[in-house]
Amino acid sequence: LSGAIAPTRGRIVVGGQDIRGLQPHRVAHIGVTRTYQIPRPFDSMTVLDNVAMAIMFGREPRSLAEARRAAGRQLDVVGLGHRSDAKPAEINLHERQLLEMARAVAAGPTVLLLDEALAGLNPVEIDQAVRVVRRIHDAGITIVIVEHLLCVVNQLASRVVVLDRGTVLADGEPQAVMRNPEVVRAYLGKHAHA
């Protein structure tokens, strides 16, 4: 979806435009951004400048001064405004994952792809990250999330698609999908209670 790997068939349409075969930076300029399960910040830059970089080279490029002002607002959205002068090595995993979200949203997407953005977090951090994801969605951004934490899926998803070895097992409303016998068998074990 982000352009990193070319699909072998089908279409990917965003805003009426087929994005198959486009380079990742072109996909981002159309409005699809992503986070990575393992955050990849620029270690030599501050948290603020990591986000400013995404703005400077995003859909509507801006000067460094404008990008820094906008980056500060994005950091406030994810709850990192107080860490803007820190370097990525000085913040914890949860904060680095929030930084990934801020960078992705700063590029001005219409679609945000979250790749296990809550992996490795404790329950309090998960709750905070869920609130951030909801704020992002409430701002009008469509979110596609890959997540193995069922509690997160149940809190955030309006639609769930479950895959097993590349085959769609179920597609629909979260509670119905989680009760689907094939999903239970594949992901929770055949004796689990959904």
Side-chain angles (χ1 to χ4, degrees):
L1 295 175
S2 67
I5 299 171
T8 55
R9 64 178 188 253
R11 295 177 57 205
I12 304 170
V13 179
V14 176
Q17 184 172 351
D18 190 342
I19 63 171
R20 276 177 313 154
L22 294 181
Q23 294 295 317
H25 70 281
R26 299 251 186 253
V27 172
H29 285 167
I30 288 169
V32 179
T33 60
R34 65 162 299 176
T35 65
Y36 292 86
Q37 181 177 357
I38 299 171
R40 301 175 182 181
F42 296 104
D43 292 330
S44 64
M45 301 169 80
T46 64
V47 166
L48 180 73
D49 282 346
N50 264 274
V51 178
M53 179 71 68
I55 295 167
M56 289 175 63
F57 296 97
R59 292 178 74 190
E60 298 173 15
R62 299 188 218 164
S63 70
L64 178 59
E66 291 175 316
R68 282 180 170 155
R69 283 191 295 278
R73 291 189 295 274
Q74 292 301 331
L75 289 173
D76 288 340
V77 167
V78 300
L80 284 181
H82 67 290
R83 303 292 285 170
S84 63
D85 293 330
K87 295 282 179 84
E90 300 167 354
I91 62 176
N92 65 35
L93 172 63
H94 173 50
E95 292 169 324
R96 284 193 304 276
Q97 288 173 321
L98 293 174
L99 173 58
E100 277 286 294
M101 286 186 211
R103 288 192 319 165
V105 172
T110 55
V111 179
L112 172 61
L113 309 172
L114 296 176
D115 183 7
E116 297 199 41
L118 288 75
L121 303 184
N122 68 44
V124 171
E125 293 167 337
I126 288 171
D127 289 343
Q128 181 186 4
V130 164
R131 287 191 297 275
V132 168
V133 171
R134 282 191 179 129
R135 278 197 300 272
I136 292 168
H137 182 260
D138 290 345
I141 298 171
T142 298
I143 297 174
V144 177
I145 185 168
V146 173
E147 185 56 66
H148 290 93
L149 296 172
L150 295 182
C151 65
V152 171
V153 172
N154 283 326
Q155 288 181 65
L156 291 175
S158 58
R159 176 181 171 205
V160 174
V161 178
V162 177
L163 301 173
D164 183 26
R165 294 180 289 254
T167 301
V168 175
L169 282 184
D171 178 353
E173 185 269 330
Q175 287 72 29
V177 168
M178 297 302 175
R179 287 192 304 268
N180 180 305
E182 290 183 53
V183 172
V184 172
R185 193 169 21 262
Y187 283 91
L188 303 174
K190 66 179 178 179
H191 297 298
H193 300 284

